[in-house]
Amino acid sequence: METIRRTKVVDLLKRTDVGAQVNVKGWVRTRRGSKQVNFVAINDGSTINNVQVVVDVEKFDADLLKLITTGACLSVNGTLVASVGSGQAVEIQATEIEVLGACDNTYPLQKKGHSMEFLREIAHLRPRTNTFGAVLRIRHNMAIAIHKFFHEKGFFYFHAPIITASDCEGAGQMFQVTTMNLYDLKKDENGSIIYDDDFFGKQASLTVSGQLEGELAATALGAIYTFGPTFRAENSNTPRHLAEFWMIEPEVAFADLHELMDLEEEFIKYCVQWALDNCRDDLAFLNKMVDPGLIERLQGVVNTEFVRLPYTEGIKILEEAVANGHKFEFPVYWGCDLASEHERFLVEEHFRKPVIMIDYPKEIKAFYMKQNEDGKTVQGTDVLFPQIGEIIGGSVREESYDKLMARIKELNIPMKDMWWYLDTRKYGTCPHAGFGLGFERLLLFVTGMTNIRDVIPFPRTPRNAEF
Ligand code: ATP
Ligand code: MN
């Protein structure tokens, strides 16, 4: 076969130099046609769009043509020609075809329209579907948007460790990291495991958040963000929780509550606008096939001002709704941790736009949040989104050593492994604030997918770590 430099489909479809000799490589999506002429749709992943290859049957060997089946990988040389029927401006009139990889009829993606559940069982192949190709390209674009946003604002990308010996939020949800022989654990007289001989000489886990290390960095570099894998062993089988997910955690020195909320809002809007500008074809596909309200919802978020709502007012609204006959599964009262049905009621039915809820009761929030003067609430911010519920959890951090220690004692938090964190408050402490955004929650919103397992290549959930 003649060597012609490969053109990606995304670039090929933009070309206008009809008559040029071109080469494409990719996987067969469909093949149709008559005894005389076949139309083969090829996709190479560079775009959701296929290029149509026109095959004059009599010019090719019958044995070769037999191998052009759904899923097969081809290299095609041909002439770029204007297209009449393919839905694209150009197509390829094939001159030479090589089958790089044949694909028999056991290939599970024969016909279109598989359920999401079925596709999860073949997660190793689902990136070859239109939907998952679109999701994965958008996932990439969102990662780029995140780095661009922070870089342009002068934030430094900071790498927090993945293995940690401290627990940010309270034990019980962490995956342990050990090289000990689990069949032969050394225990002391109380039956507690002795970690002295373990790899790190103490109990270690996978991180549930890079925030504490992020705070160290922010109080040195001024403004940083982390963006990395995060692990939670919570046994909650919901459409919004993964055991392994990616989190973005900016942390900013000298920021107060209002600057924090501004950053949260600006950041999400930037990412959504980036998707609208850079993922048009993929969004158009998802809008058509998965979620007809998608693009309108994305534009809505970019063009709307988020509501900023104190928790206490939020509870009043929910209590009024209950008084007016609205039924919630979980009770509403001042002090309750809002369930996702409550959050969604506020966002989807009451305000009909994103809500940043602030000033939560301290009992339902983490120890490090800045305490308000009232003695009851803390400067936490949850950003609540339509369809998703909580997309961001953030707060102003308590910068006073004494207040922080008092709270730690109140909650009985074991601090022996956290001396380094307290040092930030001891040596030149400063006001600072930050938040955590679940990357996959953002992707749920941007893609219109409804299950978090479908916006990450290989989901890790309870009883599932296949692939
Ligand atoms: P939720 O109440 O939804 O369980 P959380 O309050 O435990 O979340 P935070 O500890 O505030 O979450 O984490 C910050 C962000 O990380 C959340 O706003 C969410 O976007 C994301 N997140 C938290 N847990 C998960 C998870 N298990 N899977 C995916 N994303 C998550
Ligand atoms: Mn939270």
Side-chain angles (χ1 to χ4, degrees), residues 16 46 88 91 96 125 135 142 250 335 337 363 390 416 462:
T16 52
S46 60
Q88 308 288 349
E91 60 191 23
E96 287 178 291
L125 294 172
V135 166
M142 287 298 93
D337 203 354
E363 284 74 23
E390 178 186 330
K416 77 168 165 45

Side-chain angles (χ1 to χ4, degrees), residues 365 382 390 392-393:
K365 288 291 177 189
D382 277 8
E390 178 186 330
I392 280 181

Side-chain angles (χ1 to χ4, degrees), residues 260-335:
L260 173 65
M261 288 191 284
D262 289 346
L263 183 69
E264 292 171 341
E265 183 165 345
E266 194 189 340
F267 171 60
I268 296 191
K269 285 180 173 172
Y270 182 96
C271 292
V272 172
Q273 186 64 53
W274 181 272
L276 287 166
D277 293 343
N278 294 279
C279 308
R280 281 165 202 239
D281 291 351
D282 288 323
L283 286 179
F285 172 82
L286 293 170
N287 195 75
K288 189 162 145 223
M289 304 301 289
V290 174
D291 177 358
L294 177 63
I295 291 178
E296 205 183 300
R297 206 160 54 243
L298 298 183
Q299 281 160 345
V301 158
V302 171
N303 295 322
T304 198
E305 220 171 288
F306 295 7
V307 176
R308 298 178 180 197
L309 181 76
Y311 170 91
T312 303
E313 279 176 41
I315 292 293
K316 272 190 208 140
I317 293 167
L318 292 168
E319 281 173 342
E320 265 162 41
V322 172
N324 291 331
H326 193 95
K327 295 257 177 300
F328 292 116
E329 193 185 332
F330 297 98
V332 177
Y333 55 93
W334 197 96

Side-chain angles (χ1 to χ4, degrees), residues 169-325:
E169 313 266 339
Q173 308 184 334
M174 303 184 90
F175 290 100
Q176 287 199 42
V177 176
T178 180
T179 52
M180 290 192 297
N181 178 358
L182 298 182
Y183 294 100
D184 184 21
L185 290 173
K186 261 206 269 175
K187 296 186 182 167
D188 64 16
E189 59 271 22
N190 304 320
S192 301
I193 294 166
I194 300 171
Y195 285 94
D196 296 0
D197 294 338
D198 201 358
F199 190 91
F200 298 104
K202 55 175 154 181
Q203 195 173 1
S205 316
L206 296 177
T207 183
V208 295
S209 163
Q211 179 198 318
L212 302 188
E213 290 87 353
E215 285 187 53
L216 307 181
T219 54
L221 299 170
I224 62 93
Y225 66 106
T226 70
F227 184 3
T230 308
F231 306 86
R232 297 198 181 172
E234 51 199 356
N235 202 354
S236 46
N237 241 321
T238 80
R240 284 184 306 279
H241 290 89
L242 290 164
E244 175 182 303
F245 63 103
W246 287 64
M247 186 140 68
I248 297 99
E249 295 183 277
E251 192 72 35
V252 197
F254 315 116
D256 65 11
L257 183 64
H258 294 280
E259 287 162 318
L260 173 65
M261 288 191 284
D262 289 346
L263 183 69
E264 292 171 341
E265 183 165 345
E266 194 189 340
F267 171 60
I268 296 191
K269 285 180 173 172
Y270 182 96
C271 292
V272 172
Q273 186 64 53
W274 181 272
L276 287 166
D277 293 343
N278 294 279
C279 308
R280 281 165 202 239
D281 291 351
D282 288 323
L283 286 179
F285 172 82
L286 293 170
N287 195 75
K288 189 162 145 223
M289 304 301 289
V290 174
D291 177 358
L294 177 63
I295 291 178
E296 205 183 300
R297 206 160 54 243
L298 298 183
Q299 281 160 345
V301 158
V302 171
N303 295 322
T304 198
E305 220 171 288
F306 295 7
V307 176
R308 298 178 180 197
L309 181 76
Y311 170 91
T312 303
E313 279 176 41
I315 292 293
K316 272 190 208 140
I317 293 167
L318 292 168
E319 281 173 342
E320 265 162 41
V322 172
N324 291 331

Side-chain angles (χ1 to χ4, degrees), residues 362-429:
K362 63 177 179 186
E363 284 74 23
I364 59 171
K365 288 291 177 189
F367 73 94
Y368 50 69
M369 294 194 185
K370 188 175 173 69
Q371 298 156 34
N372 280 320
E373 308 261 292
D374 62 12
K376 291 195 299 196
T377 59
V378 290
Q379 294 184 11
T381 64
D382 277 8
V383 181
L384 311 177
F385 252 55
Q387 317 284 321
I388 314 294
E390 178 186 330
I391 193 165
I392 280 181
S395 72
V396 181
R397 319 306 189 188
E398 181 55 71
E399 86 261 22
S400 149
Y401 182 86
D402 293 339
K403 283 191 192 160
L404 188 63
M405 271 321 277
R407 192 72 187 127
I408 285 168
K409 289 217 180 87
E410 229 169 27
L411 294 171
N412 260 322
I413 298 174
M415 286 310 282
K416 77 168 165 45
D417 294 320
M418 304 267 287
W419 57 273
W420 48 270
Y421 179 69
L422 295 171
D423 271 3
T424 54
R425 274 57 170 183
K426 232 153 101 185
Y427 304 127
T429 190

Side-chain angles (χ1 to χ4, degrees), residues 13-302:
L13 293 175
K14 288 184 209 140
R15 280 174 66 165
T16 52
D17 53 336
V18 168
Q21 297 303 299
V22 296
N23 171 272
V24 285
K25 294 181 171 67
W27 294 269
V28 175
R29 281 297 171 79
T30 57
R31 173 181 173 186
R32 58 188 180 83
S34 63
K35 280 203 176 108
Q36 291 81 37
V37 56
N38 282 188
F39 302 100
V40 182
I42 292 196
N43 188 283
D44 69 357
S46 60
T47 160
I48 190 140
N49 299 310
N50 303 327
V51 63
Q52 175 159 287
V53 172
V54 184
V55 181
D56 246 326
V57 171
E58 62 175 20
K59 290 191 189 146
F60 291 87
D61 185 61
D63 288 336
L64 175 98
L65 293 180
K66 266 192 221 145
L67 294 174
I68 303 179
T69 55
T70 299
C73 186
L74 307 185
S75 174
V76 177
N77 284 347
T79 312
L80 194 68
V81 295
S83 173
V84 263
S86 75
Q88 308 288 349
V90 289
E91 60 191 23
I92 298 173
Q93 183 72 49
T95 51
E96 287 178 291
I97 298 175
E98 185 187 348
V99 178
L100 299 176
C103 185
D104 68 23
N105 61 12
T106 62
Y107 182 56
L109 295 171
Q110 293 295 338
K111 43 182 191 5
K112 293 178 178 174
H114 299 288
S115 74
M116 293 296 160
E117 287 78 11
F118 171 71
L119 291 174
R120 261 171 240 149
E121 289 167 21
I122 53 162
H124 61 306
L125 294 172
R126 68 180 183 172
R128 291 200 203 172
T129 63
N130 282 330
T131 301
F132 285 90
V135 166
L136 292 174
R137 279 184 296 271
I138 293 172
R139 191 178 162 103
H140 158 80
N141 267 283
M142 287 298 93
I144 297 295
I146 287 159
H147 285 301
K148 245 177 97 58
F149 174 82
F150 287 118
H151 178 68
E152 282 166 9
K153 284 186 104 58
F155 284 54
F156 299 107
Y157 181 25
F158 181 75
H159 295 103
I162 288 172
I163 298 174
T164 170
S166 64
D167 171 359
C168 181
E169 313 266 339
Q173 308 184 334
M174 303 184 90
F175 290 100
Q176 287 199 42
V177 176
T178 180
T179 52
M180 290 192 297
N181 178 358
L182 298 182
Y183 294 100
D184 184 21
L185 290 173
K186 261 206 269 175
K187 296 186 182 167
D188 64 16
E189 59 271 22
N190 304 320
S192 301
I193 294 166
I194 300 171
Y195 285 94
D196 296 0
D197 294 338
D198 201 358
F199 190 91
F200 298 104
K202 55 175 154 181
Q203 195 173 1
S205 316
L206 296 177
T207 183
V208 295
S209 163
Q211 179 198 318
L212 302 188
E213 290 87 353
E215 285 187 53
L216 307 181
T219 54
L221 299 170
I224 62 93
Y225 66 106
T226 70
F227 184 3
T230 308
F231 306 86
R232 297 198 181 172
E234 51 199 356
N235 202 354
S236 46
N237 241 321
T238 80
R240 284 184 306 279
H241 290 89
L242 290 164
E244 175 182 303
F245 63 103
W246 287 64
M247 186 140 68
I248 297 99
E249 295 183 277
E251 192 72 35
V252 197
F254 315 116
D256 65 11
L257 183 64
H258 294 280
E259 287 162 318
L260 173 65
M261 288 191 284
D262 289 346
L263 183 69
E264 292 171 341
E265 183 165 345
E266 194 189 340
F267 171 60
I268 296 191
K269 285 180 173 172
Y270 182 96
C271 292
V272 172
Q273 186 64 53
W274 181 272
L276 287 166
D277 293 343
N278 294 279
C279 308
R280 281 165 202 239
D281 291 351
D282 288 323
L283 286 179
F285 172 82
L286 293 170
N287 195 75
K288 189 162 145 223
M289 304 301 289
V290 174
D291 177 358
L294 177 63
I295 291 178
E296 205 183 300
R297 206 160 54 243
L298 298 183
Q299 281 160 345
V301 158
V302 171

